[in-house]
Amino acid sequence: IKNIAVLTSGGDAPGMNAAIRAVVRTGIYHGINMFGVMQGYQGLITNNIKPMDARSVSNILHLGGTILKTARCLEFKTDEGQQIAYQNLKKNNIDALVVIGGDGTFTGAKRFSETFGVKVIGIPGTIDNDLVGSDFTLGYDTAINTVIEAIDKIRDTADAHDRLFFIEVMGRDSGCIALRSSIASGAEAVLLPERATSVEELIKKLALGAATKKSSSIVIVAEGHKQGGAYDIAKKVKETFDHYDTKVTILGHLQRGGSPSSFDRILGSRLGFAAVNALIAGETEQMVGLHGNAIKLTSISEALTAHSFKLEPDLMEMTEVLSI
Ligand code: F6P
């Protein structure tokens, strides 16, 4: 392998810069020419590809976002888009790609690799933690820290006013952020996309809390919850349970920004290092991931399979027990 390009695609995640830095420096250390593709797959189509040296990734470990920029590129989903991207890779003599992103990124990479034989290694970078083959995805830990910092602040004012707050967190199909944040912030209830919780059940729980002298209550709602978002749930609850003054906060994109935690900086560095080593070892269509405290490879196809097992059963049980 002589020339490797790295890109970030889909939603950004804190720790992506640590991964980019590790990919670039590991490649250069081994005498490989390194390139950065700007704006994810969009940059492959527009030929926005630049050489990167060791200094081009200096002082970025602590930065959120991604120095390579990112995009959700619809054109790369088409045959024409993939064809143009391949021609641009050939023009730049690039023989392998490291893609950092989530399920959309990996779906695109798999098809591209299968069609054109380009070697690809994936790094799981998404705050959603919804990929098989890595206990933690890049950005997930930082996002949870950001969420609990916000909830701690809301708890202060909720308690001062004896209010009920519904707080919506990210996770279109994944309740991972919601579940962990609920344990870490001591939320009274959590609504997950993977678990059906009726409004009646929720009201029963909140009523019990009120009867046992809870002065304030916090309900975390994952954005993908089947009964609706935080505003919908708050409205439905208020129709029959009006014990508390009720407020809603949507945390939104603040969950995606910020300086990565030490965990995400180290994870990004480990995964970037492992991705280039995997390419050197001749691997392709694999994702590097964290398994226990070791780095392992999982095929990209497997990484994209169902992920609901990622909700730890003991945490699920604790949401009922510890919130009484
Ligand atoms: O996949 C990461 C994520 O932050 C999801 O949790 C969320 O549903 C989605 O991206 C939001 O995407 P966008 O930034 O494109 O609105």
Side-chain angles (χ1 to χ4, degrees):
I1 288 207
K2 290 199 177 71
N3 302 302
I4 297 178
V6 56
L7 61 82
T8 48
S9 162
D12 60 328
M16 280 183 163
N17 285 325
I20 294 167
R21 173 176 174 273
V23 167
V24 169
R25 291 196 172 167
T26 306
I28 290 171
Y29 181 87
H30 289 289
I32 298 167
N33 301 312
M34 300 303 295
F35 295 83
V37 182
M38 299 304 292
Q39 290 174 314
Y41 294 127
Q42 191 65 43
L44 279 187
I45 292 171
T46 57
N47 198 20
N48 197 352
I49 302 172
K50 351 182 257 198
M52 296 188 84
D53 62 19
R55 293 289 78 75
S56 66
V57 289
S58 292
N59 304 329
I60 62 168
L61 261 177
H62 61 297
L63 300 177
T66 153
I67 61 158
L68 294 176
K69 309 266 185 175
T70 185
R72 297 191 194 277
C73 178
L74 294 178
E75 208 183 336
F76 193 69
K77 291 186 175 169
T78 66
D79 291 347
E80 299 73 35
Q82 291 229 340
Q83 186 60 246
I84 298 169
Y86 178 61
Q87 294 310 328
N88 284 330
L89 274 193
K90 280 215 309 200
K91 241 187 251 171
N92 291 281
N93 292 319
I94 289 164
D95 30 38
L97 268 182
V98 175
V99 298
I100 309 172
D103 50 1
T105 305
F106 287 1
T107 307
K110 186 170 171 288
R111 190 166 151 231
F112 192 55
S113 172
E114 280 167 3
T115 313
F116 301 103
V118 175
K119 290 197 156 73
V120 177
I121 295 289
I123 294 180
T126 165
I127 65 165
D128 292 348
N129 199 35
D130 58 351
L131 289 162
V132 171
S134 195
D135 298 345
F136 293 88
T137 58
L138 212 46
Y140 174 49
D141 180 66
T142 305
I144 295 166
N145 286 332
T146 303
V147 168
I148 62 169
E149 195 187 328
I151 298 179
D152 287 350
K153 289 178 177 156
I154 292 171
R155 176 70 81 177
D156 289 345
T157 175
D159 196 50
H161 285 265
D162 294 345
R163 281 175 169 160
L164 165 62
F165 267 83
F166 291 85
I167 302 173
E168 187 175 300
V169 301
M170 275 187 167
R172 206 169 8 216
D173 305 305
S174 161
C176 287
I177 292 177
L179 179 61
R180 286 207 156 217
S181 313
S182 79
I183 298 297
S185 67
E188 274 59 36
V190 56
L191 302 182
L192 307 164
E194 296 89 343
R195 182 172 68 180
T197 309
S198 67
V199 173
E200 292 69 36
E201 277 173 79
L202 176 61
I203 292 175
K204 225 168 127 188
K205 204 165 183 210
L206 293 172
L208 188 68
T212 54
K213 299 199 170 34
K214 277 197 186 240
S215 58
S216 64
S217 275
I218 283 178
V219 178
I220 298 180
V221 183
E223 64 174 336
H225 182 63
K226 304 288 179 280
Q227 310 281 323
Y231 277 107
D232 305 313
I233 305 287
K235 192 163 168 266
K236 284 180 197 158
V237 168
K238 211 169 165 54
E239 278 162 16
T240 40
F241 178 72
D242 205 12
H243 178 83
Y244 296 102
D245 185 18
T246 300
K247 299 282 173 185
V248 175
T249 303
I250 311 273
L251 294 182
H253 283 80
L254 75 82
Q255 295 163 89
R256 286 243 296 269
S259 184
S261 63
S262 63
F263 182 88
D264 279 326
R265 294 181 198 197
I266 294 163
L267 182 62
S269 303
R270 288 177 94 175
L271 296 178
F273 174 74
V276 173
N277 286 332
L279 283 172
I280 292 171
E283 298 288 352
T284 184
E285 283 185 51
Q286 300 286 313
M287 183 193 85
V288 287
L290 184 70
H291 185 67
N293 194 18
I295 301 299
K296 68 156 194 174
L297 297 180
T298 302
S299 75
I300 286 185
S301 319
E302 197 190 333
L304 290 168
T305 53
H307 53 78
S308 54
F309 75 93
K310 281 202 143 176
L311 298 178
E312 299 90 338
D314 61 326
L315 297 195
M316 294 284 274
E317 201 185 332
M318 279 157 63
T319 61
E320 300 303 322
V321 177
L322 302 189
S323 59
I324 55 170

